[in-house]
């Protein structure tokens, strides 16, 4: 029998969302309420295991009485507030943000972005061939994962996952300012010379594929990566007694990557190097 912890009950707030009265638990964000109501509000930098950074600005909505558009991922719902998610102003803002992002970085491996670009009629190519792009070659300096900063949107999720919100390794941070800002390790050194412990929790939260498994990167390069052909099986890691849950992604009878359920009370999506990358012995047919 599964026992669900009840926790402390939270008072329900009532407010207006796109003309309809909705209720949300006290402390919920507008984005939480939108998802509970079945409204699709796009977001890139928001992560369900991290504190919002308000970096991508794709989830902005219009709140009556507010001078500026509000980021739905961090703006808490308040009793009596009136929120509109699909106004011309909000849609125009999302369109511009998507155009700026897609014109400066490679978003080919970012889930749902192609659909959002079509929905909001964004035209990233309107800035012309001279638009400033990151244009960095993938950094492959270890056998476990690849850093492809040509796909990085500076959402800070990897920094938070490596820092005080989860791993507390502080191996990666933001270097530079303004247009020169980049995600990097200390002194921009190879990953093997950094404080990285290869937990891969940064990969878990990366929304664009800027950080990816070496196995996934190689298969994409070879044209063999096919998520539709993959199965997912959740099991328990056998390396120690903590009880971390692993989700094995299998394609053609081979494990191609390992993730962890975000709603698991033990891991919350986080793993160590053994849980994340220590599956090669399973493939050994000798």
């Amino acid at each position: 029998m599964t026992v669900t912890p009840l926790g402390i009950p939270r008072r329900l707030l009532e407010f207006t969302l796109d003309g309809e009265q909705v209720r949300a638990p006290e402390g919920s964000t507008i984005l939480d309420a939108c998802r509970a109501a079945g409204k699709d509000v796009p977001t890139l930098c928001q992560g369900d295991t991290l504190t919002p950074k308000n970096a991508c600005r794709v989830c902005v909505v219009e709140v009556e009485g507010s001078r500026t558009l509000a980021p739905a991922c961090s703006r808490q719902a308040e009793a009596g507030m009136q929120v509109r998610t699909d106004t011309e102003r909000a849609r125009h803002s999302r369109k511009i943000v998507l155009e700026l992002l897609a014109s400066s970085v490679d978003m080919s491996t970012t889930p749902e972005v192609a659909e959002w670009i079509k929905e909001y009629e964004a035209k990233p190519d309107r800035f012309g061939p001279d638009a400033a792009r990151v244009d960095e070659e993938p950094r492959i300096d270890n056998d476990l994962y690849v850093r492809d900063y040509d796909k990085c949107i500076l959402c800070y999720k990897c920094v938070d996952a490596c820092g005080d919100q989860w791993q507390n390794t502080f191996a990666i941070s933001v270097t530079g300012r303004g247009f020169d800002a980049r995600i990097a390790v200390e002194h921009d050194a190879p990953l093997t010379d950094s404080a990285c412990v290869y937990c891969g929790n940064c990969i878990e939260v990366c929304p664009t594929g800027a950080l990816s498994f070496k196995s996934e990167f190689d298969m994409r390069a070879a044209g063999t990566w096919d998520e539709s052909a993959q199965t997912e099986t959740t099991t328990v890691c056998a390396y120690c007694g903590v009880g971390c849950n692993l989700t094995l992604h299998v394609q053609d009878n081979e494990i191609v990557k390992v993730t962890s359920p975000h709603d698991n009370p033990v891991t919350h999506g986080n793993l160590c190097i053994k849980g994340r990358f220590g599956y090669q012995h399973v493939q050994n047919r000798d």
Side-chain angles (χ1 to χ4, degrees):
M1 182 179 67
T2 302
V3 179
T4 302
L6 295 177
I8 301 174
R10 292 190 291 172
R11 184 168 63 94
L12 292 178
L13 303 173
E14 191 169 295
F15 65 99
T16 304
L17 182 62
D18 289 335
E20 300 179 4
Q21 290 294 114
V22 297
R23 290 182 175 182
E26 190 175 29
S28 298
T29 64
I30 294 175
L31 185 61
D32 293 333
C34 288
R35 288 175 171 171
K39 295 184 180 295
D40 182 26
V41 175
T43 181
L44 289 169
C45 71
Q46 188 267 348
D48 56 355
T49 63
L50 299 168
T51 302
K53 265 290 193 289
N54 311 328
C56 74
R57 316 301 288 188
V58 180
C59 69
V60 290
V61 295
E62 199 160 354
V63 177
E64 185 171 302
S66 178
R67 180 177 60 85
T68 60
L69 294 172
C73 66
S74 62
R75 179 67 183 269
Q76 289 197 350
E78 300 172 13
M81 74 184 331
Q82 296 191 40
V83 179
R84 290 178 293 169
T85 66
D86 202 37
T87 64
E88 181 180 351
R89 186 184 179 195
R91 292 183 64 86
H92 182 69
S93 177
R94 292 174 194 160
K95 173 185 175 181
I96 296 298
V97 169
L98 289 169
E99 287 179 340
L100 291 172
L101 288 175
S103 67
S104 59
V105 299
D106 175 11
M107 306 195 77
S108 60
T109 56
T110 306
E112 299 185 85
V113 159
E115 290 84 355
W116 293 340
I117 288 176
K118 182 178 180 180
E119 178 184 351
Y120 293 101
E121 300 180 345
K123 296 178 174 59
D125 57 351
R126 73 183 179 90
F127 297 107
D130 296 327
R133 292 190 61 85
V134 176
D135 284 332
E136 284 193 25
E137 290 296 319
R139 300 190 182 192
I140 309 172
D141 50 19
N142 65 91
D143 295 330
L144 299 182
Y145 71 92
V146 176
R147 297 178 292 162
D148 189 356
Y149 290 142
D150 190 37
K151 298 178 180 179
C152 177
I153 61 169
L154 288 176
C155 67
Y156 300 94
K157 291 170 75 173
C158 60
V159 177
D160 288 341
C162 185
D164 60 1
Q165 292 195 33
W166 285 114
Q167 191 62 27
N168 285 289
T169 298
F170 301 97
I172 51 180
S173 186
V174 179
T175 181
R177 293 293 183 271
F179 289 108
D180 295 325
R182 296 287 185 275
I183 301 296
V185 300
E186 189 174 6
H187 303 305
D188 204 18
L191 207 63
T192 50
D193 296 335
S194 73
C196 177
V197 295
Y198 299 95
C199 63
N201 294 332
C202 54
I203 303 175
E204 184 76 36
V205 299
C206 180
T208 64
L211 302 171
S212 65
F213 282 76
K214 180 70 161 51
S215 55
E216 178 180 346
F217 179 85
D218 290 342
M219 291 177 69
R220 285 187 183 276
T224 58
W225 182 262
D226 184 5
E227 291 188 3
S228 65
Q230 295 174 13
T231 59
E232 298 181 10
T233 302
T234 299
T235 184
V236 178
C237 182
Y239 277 107
C240 73
V242 172
C244 298
N245 277 199
L246 311 179
T247 299
L248 309 179
H249 299 248
V250 178
Q251 180 178 329
D252 297 328
N253 205 31
E254 296 279 345
I255 299 173
V256 293
K257 72 175 184 179
V258 176
T259 58
S260 182
H262 288 199
D263 60 354
N264 182 265
V266 177
T267 61
H268 298 286
N270 299 288
L271 296 170
C272 72
I273 181 174
K274 291 183 287 187
R276 184 86 60 188
F277 296 107
Y279 57 82
Q280 288 79 5
H281 64 284
V282 180
Q283 329 263 54
N284 191 344
R285 305 293 197 266
D286 298 334

